[in-house]
Every structure is written in structure tokens, then in C-alpha cells.
Amino acid sequence: MQFELWIGDAAEIRTKRVRKQKTDRQDAELLLRLLIEDRFPRIWVADGENRDLRQLLWHRHRMVQMRTRIMNQLHVLALNEGVRRKKALWRPAGRAQLQSLVLARWASRRRQDLLELLDQLTPKIQELTRALEQEVEKRPVARRLMTHPGVGPLTALAFELVIGTPERFGCGKQIASYVGLVPSEESSGDRRRLGHISKQGNSLLRFLLVEAAQVTVRTDPDWRRRFLHLAMRRERRIAKVAMARKLAVRLYWMWRKEWDYEQMRKFGSQGRKSGSHAGVPTASTWYPRLRSSRIIRFVRLRLDFAFTAGPRSS
């Protein structure tokens, strides 16, 4: 006999209990009633293949972090000797200069061990990267997400594995909340208090979205304009998180609508053409040369005129 395992949302099941008494028998009756009435709050669970591919992503991520720590230590050794090469330190000429530095006994031993570890990690990371790219080639969803600027194989595959299926979410706000890119809130009455982001959900996907959003800002003029506007109003770190949230929502709609990046730019996330709202032209469509502030002043003048002019004579 084969059984299908269902896992329910414990918090939602608890809200459906009416009695204050809690016993195992009452819990079993509640679960049975929810199943019979088709109201059981079932949660999505990743299959074995999905969980195994996540191990690939995490393993590569940790290996890259280890390599970064080793490279930082080698940078410190070079800086102590007055050598400042930055990324050029890892080119053949820079590495030769690092190895030619005259160091004390244990500093030289440290340099040798770190270089050996670096030489061991680099081919392993390259092997994991090739395996990741081969897996992405088998997945149409990941390839479609990669059409967005700044989104590489790692981010696309992680987004597909963590989200699972877009039908689980009703809108982009739920995606942003699921990956922990929305602010925490402690409000009471008329007072609304927003804190830092919740940081719920998969931390690796959240990290990759922030990194990919920064690449998109550097390559896309519209994203860069939006980022600089947010950075001037708030802070750069807040602007980075905001752009990562926007990227997550974009990828969600691309996946749900089965669009590539060009179709996304043409129709927008809600399936309408850019420059229109539900088929009604906006002010930016009627007056493309007017900026937003001029449009606002223009609309105010028209409203003032409409209320002060009075009825026309027949």
C-alpha cells in the first residue's frame, strides 16, 4: 500500500479549533473534519529531487565563501608588505608578485598553505558550476528567468527550486513576504511602526536576489534611476533590498505568465501594455514629454479650473 503524506499549516489549523479544551481525540476529530470538508490547510513540500538540488546550491555557496575568506587573508598578507593589487592580485603577474614576497617563517608558511587551499577549491567550484549550468539547461523555467538582466543560472535555479510552483501565491506581495523582503510590522491603533525586513524564508535565495539586483542596477538604466532615487531618499542598503524585492516580483510574474524579459517589459506584470492602465491611457501616454511633477501641476490646474469656471452658457 502506498500512502500520500500531507503536511498542514499548524498555525491555521489551530485557528479552526472552537473549544478551549485540547486532547488528542479532539485534535484527530478536527483533522478528520477538515479533510472531509476539503478545508485542510495543506502546505507545499519539496520532493526529493528538489531538496537534493538545493544541496548543490548550498554546497557551491559555502565553497565560494571559503574561497573568499582565503583570498581575503592573502590580500592582508600582501597589504602588510605594501602590495595593493586588488583583483589584479589573482592574475598571473599578481600571483607571481605575491609568491616572490620575502616573509618571515610562519608568515611564509601561512601564504603557502592558503595558496594550496585556493588551488584546491577553485577547480571544485568550477565543477559545481558546470553541474549547475547543466541542470539549468534542462529547465525551461530557469532559462526563461535568465533572460532578465542580472539573473544568472544560480539565481534562476534557486528561485525555481525555492518557490516550487507560482500557483501557490496569489500576487507579488506574497512572494516578497515569502522570501523575507518585506518589513516587519508592530502596529497598534492609528500608529504604524515598520521595522527591518522579516528575513523569513530561504536565506540563500534572499542573498542571491540582492546580489542579482545590484547587477541589474548596473546594467539597466531604468533600474539604476530607480535605485539612485531610493538611495537619495533613504539609504543605499534599503535601496538594495527594495530593488531585490522588485526583482523577486518580476521573476514571479515572468514565471506565472510564461513570459521572457522582453514580453515582461512590453506588457508589465498585470498583463497590460506599458503606458496604460486597464486599457485607459495615462497622463504619461497623453503627454510623454511632461515629467511627473509637471503632470501633477497640470492636473491641479485643470481641477481648479473645472471647479471655478462654472457652467457654460448655452
Side-chain angles (χ1 to χ4, degrees):
M1 298 179 64
Q2 294 183 355
F3 297 93
E4 183 179 0
L5 176 62
W6 286 17
I7 301 179
D9 188 350
E12 187 173 353
I13 293 175
R14 192 179 299 111
T15 61
K16 300 180 183 299
R17 183 187 298 117
V18 180
R19 298 180 179 179
K20 293 186 177 181
Q21 294 79 14
K22 180 186 181 301
T23 61
D24 293 343
R25 184 181 182 86
Q26 292 178 356
D27 291 343
E29 292 176 353
L30 174 62
L31 294 177
L32 179 61
R33 184 170 65 254
L34 294 177
L35 289 171
I36 293 176
E37 297 175 357
D38 197 16
R39 295 190 299 118
F40 183 78
R42 182 182 179 184
I43 62 176
W44 176 79
V45 179
D47 55 12
E49 181 183 2
N50 188 308
R51 294 194 296 268
D52 189 52
L53 287 175
R54 293 190 191 189
Q55 293 299 317
L56 169 62
L57 299 180
W58 273 111
H59 183 45
R60 183 189 179 278
H61 180 64
R62 296 305 185 191
M63 297 284 281
V64 171
Q65 287 182 331
M66 293 171 58
R67 183 178 64 177
T68 302
R69 287 194 291 266
I70 292 174
M71 294 170 69
N72 290 339
Q73 294 183 59
L74 290 171
H75 268 297
V76 172
L77 287 176
L79 288 174
N80 290 338
E81 300 300 323
V83 177
R84 184 181 179 88
R85 299 290 298 269
K86 296 185 178 181
K87 293 183 179 181
L89 186 65
W90 313 117
R91 298 173 184 172
R95 176 151 180 170
Q97 182 179 6
L98 177 62
Q99 292 177 334
S100 63
L101 295 176
V102 179
L103 302 176
R105 175 187 175 187
W106 289 111
S108 178
R109 173 65 181 273
R110 182 187 180 192
R111 176 184 59 186
Q112 178 183 353
D113 293 344
L114 290 175
L115 288 175
E116 291 178 356
L117 291 174
L118 182 63
D119 293 337
Q120 294 175 7
L121 287 176
T122 300
K124 293 181 179 180
I125 294 175
Q126 294 175 352
E127 180 183 356
L128 295 175
T129 303
R130 288 191 297 267
L132 187 147
E133 293 174 348
Q134 293 175 1
E135 185 63 32
V136 169
E137 291 297 326
K138 305 175 185 177
R139 297 175 173 267
V141 174
R143 295 201 307 270
R144 188 183 306 115
L145 297 180
M146 286 176 58
T147 60
H148 194 287
V151 178
L154 181 59
T155 305
L157 183 59
F159 192 85
E160 180 181 357
L161 294 177
V162 174
I163 300 304
T165 171
E167 287 74 16
R168 296 196 296 135
F169 306 93
C171 60
K173 292 182 179 179
Q174 295 180 2
I175 284 287
S177 177
Y178 185 75
V179 298
L181 291 174
V182 295
S184 58
E185 183 174 358
E186 294 183 2
S187 302
S188 177
D190 297 334
R191 182 176 182 180
R192 187 182 184 189
R193 180 181 298 174
L194 300 178
H196 299 288
I197 59 175
S198 62
K199 293 186 179 180
Q200 294 180 337
N202 191 282
S203 59
L204 176 59
L205 177 59
R206 185 167 55 252
F207 168 79
L208 294 175
L209 287 172
V210 174
E211 294 294 319
Q214 296 181 62
V215 178
T216 309
V217 167
R218 291 194 295 266
T219 57
D220 192 297
D222 295 335
W223 281 64
R224 180 171 181 80
R225 190 180 307 110
R226 176 65 175 169
F227 171 78
L228 293 177
H229 177 69
L230 290 174
M232 288 187 295
R233 287 180 52 197
R234 305 296 296 274
E235 300 179 13
R236 293 185 67 90
R237 58 176 184 175
I238 298 179
K240 291 178 181 179
V241 174
M243 302 310 294
R245 178 185 182 276
K246 181 178 180 180
L247 178 61
V249 175
R250 278 275 189 100
L251 296 180
Y252 162 73
W253 284 111
M254 288 175 59
W255 187 359
R256 183 168 180 175
K257 298 289 186 179
E258 297 184 356
W259 288 343
D260 57 14
Y261 177 67
E262 294 300 328
Q263 292 173 316
M264 183 70 185
R265 292 190 59 185
K266 182 178 180 181
F267 296 105
S269 62
Q270 302 299 331
R272 56 178 180 263
K273 290 185 178 181
S274 59
S276 64
H277 182 76
V280 180
T282 60
S284 60
T285 306
W286 292 334
Y287 307 99
R289 295 184 179 180
L290 293 178
R291 294 184 178 180
S292 58
S293 59
R294 296 183 180 179
I295 294 174
I296 295 174
R297 289 197 298 268
F298 177 78
V299 173
R300 287 177 177 175
L301 290 175
R302 292 295 300 270
L303 291 175
D304 293 339
F305 176 81
F307 284 105
T308 57
R312 295 182 180 180
S313 59
S314 57

